[in-house]
């Protein structure tokens, strides 16, 4: 074990093992220096078998998991279990921004079709155009002619709206219905705390009872 | 890599590498299932060298770090750099509950003496008595006769108060001053949000300007 961490310019000086671990943990999303410290001490205080198991999983992660050649989600087998599940509805494709969105939707149990991971959203200000997303692969899947509906499950943000609009225009010559997840008040939410845009969308998308 | 995680009854069924990683990460303090998922995808999406480095640090952690034989804090060398630093004030010992408290106090830069880690606080309801703490070692250090002041830096909680009271009584025959960190309003805090006990302590501990 070297005494120096050479990871992307992070603290190139000599550090002890604990400081190196804290430094690495604090690069995780939502983890600041304090919580990284708490985690490191928790690991150190705890059963060494936990640290060993976590180390093994991390070391093998990128070998074990790849991208599905069909939908682009993370998987151990290619095609992924969802794409190769014959019981799923192949006439429905749910288009998501990132691979983790597949997990969120699968956990809701609401959707029994297939997925397509765009790998991002159109964001001109960040230099991300349609060519940077897996839109070509999506068109190839649609050309097979089995897809009846494309559900755009992109976030209700400016980038999500832009991407949805782009796909809607692009797909108008395809014989496929393009829909988008409803936007409105979250269940259990409170009118008082809803922002103007969410309220406006929930009015426009109101449903008959 | 086995497909099953055998860690303390956690999900003994077949899981894929990603689920196993999420399961392990969600055992860290302050990390729920959602943040563990976010972390796992962040690691997967990112540079494999990060996962490798983190794995290495975790695998080597318990070999690299031990307890200091003098003060009980985590260290790579025994005695620890603080105990063996001749420039520190050996007449002052700051008594803390856990090894991580040493780090917090060191980072404040406020204290230039030595430390003593109790390894817990007296908590009769949880079955933790004085015999479970490193109080014997503390008395041995005091018997060397170099210590002038013992600063109890235990949390202002019921367990902290109990432990402070116990130590105060135990040490009244030693020629050593026993003090405790001031309790009161946090800097930048607001009277409006201070609880009754904190306010009461800040009144009792008021200082002359």
């Amino acid at each position: 074990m070297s005494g120096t961490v050479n990871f992307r310019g992070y603290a190139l000086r000599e550090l002890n093992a604990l400081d190196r671990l804290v430094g690495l943990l604090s690069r995780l999303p939502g983890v600041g220096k304090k919580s990284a410290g708490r985690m490191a001490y928790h690991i150190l205080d705890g059963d060494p078998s936990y640290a060993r198991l976590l180390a093994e999983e991390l070391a093998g992660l990128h070998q074990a998991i790849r991208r599905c050649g069909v939908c682009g989600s993370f998987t151990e087998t290619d095609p992924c279990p969802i794409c190769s599940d014959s019981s799923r509805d192949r006439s429905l494709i749910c288009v998501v921004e990132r691979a983790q969105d597949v997990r969120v939707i699968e956990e809701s149990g609401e959707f029994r079709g297939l997925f397509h991971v765009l790998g991002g959203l159109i964001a001109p200000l960040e230099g991300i155009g349609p060519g940077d997303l897996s839109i070509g692969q999506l068109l190839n899947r649609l050309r097979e002619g089995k897809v009846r509906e494309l559900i755009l499950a992109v976030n209700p943000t400016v980038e999500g709206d832009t991407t949805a609009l782009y796909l809607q225009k692009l797909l108008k010559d395809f014989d496929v219905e393009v829909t988008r997840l409803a936007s409105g008040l979250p269940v259990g939410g409170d009118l008082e705390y809803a922002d103007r845009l969410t309220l406006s969308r929930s009015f426009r998308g109101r449903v008959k009872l």
Side-chain angles (χ1 to χ4, degrees), chain A:
Chain A
M1 189 103 7
S2 118
T4 319
V5 167
N6 283 306
F7 186 68
R8 292 205 196 154
Y10 162 72
L12 286 160
R13 62 212 162 75
E14 287 285 323
L15 289 170
N16 73 39
L18 200 56
D19 288 334
R20 291 198 304 270
L21 182 61
V22 171
L24 286 169
L25 288 173
S26 67
R27 304 187 69 96
L28 290 172
V31 179
K33 222 182 147 221
K34 278 219 171 178
S35 8
R38 209 151 39 224
M39 288 176 187
Y41 278 105
H42 177 89
I43 296 170
L44 196 53
D45 253 344
D47 192 334
S49 72
Y50 171 80
R52 206 169 47 240
L53 261 173
L54 187 54
E56 276 174 23
E57 291 299 340
L58 286 165
L61 187 69
H62 285 85
Q63 275 93 58
I65 307 268
R66 72 203 81 180
R67 293 260 179 194
C68 171
V70 180
C71 72
S73 65
F74 288 122
T75 174
E76 290 192 25
T77 55
D78 190 4
C80 72
I82 295 174
C83 286
S84 43
D85 181 348
S86 60
S87 76
R88 297 189 74 116
D89 186 347
R90 294 179 174 270
S91 69
L92 281 175
I93 290 184
C94 178
V95 177
V96 296
E97 177 189 353
R98 304 163 307 169
Q100 46 265 59
D101 298 331
V102 173
R103 189 191 190 88
V104 175
I105 293 171
E106 277 297 281
E107 281 175 358
S108 80
E110 197 53 53
F111 180 69
R112 289 294 302 163
L114 304 178
F115 287 94
H116 192 84
V117 177
L118 287 176
L121 293 175
I122 299 172
L125 288 178
E126 291 168 48
I128 305 173
D132 299 311
L133 314 181
S134 66
I135 293 177
Q137 291 94 311
L138 179 62
L139 297 183
N140 286 340
R141 291 178 75 181
L142 295 180
R143 282 192 193 103
E144 291 173 17
K146 290 178 197 145
V147 181
R148 183 173 45 83
E149 183 180 347
L150 210 65
I151 303 171
L152 304 181
V154 290
N155 287 337
T157 57
V158 174
E159 291 80 13
D161 293 353
T162 310
T163 310
L165 200 65
Y166 178 86
L167 287 173
Q168 187 197 340
K169 283 186 178 172
L170 187 72
L171 299 171
K172 69 176 187 296
D173 296 334
F174 282 79
D175 184 24
V176 60
E177 197 175 358
V178 180
T179 60
R180 189 167 176 199
L181 288 193
S183 187
L185 302 172
V187 176
D190 191 320
L191 271 178
E192 195 181 339
Y193 297 111
D195 61 295
R196 208 169 51 79
L197 282 172
T198 302
L199 255 182
S200 140
R201 286 216 184 173
S202 67
F203 266 102
R204 274 188 276 149
R206 67 191 179 279
V207 289
K208 210 174 160 162
L209 301 180

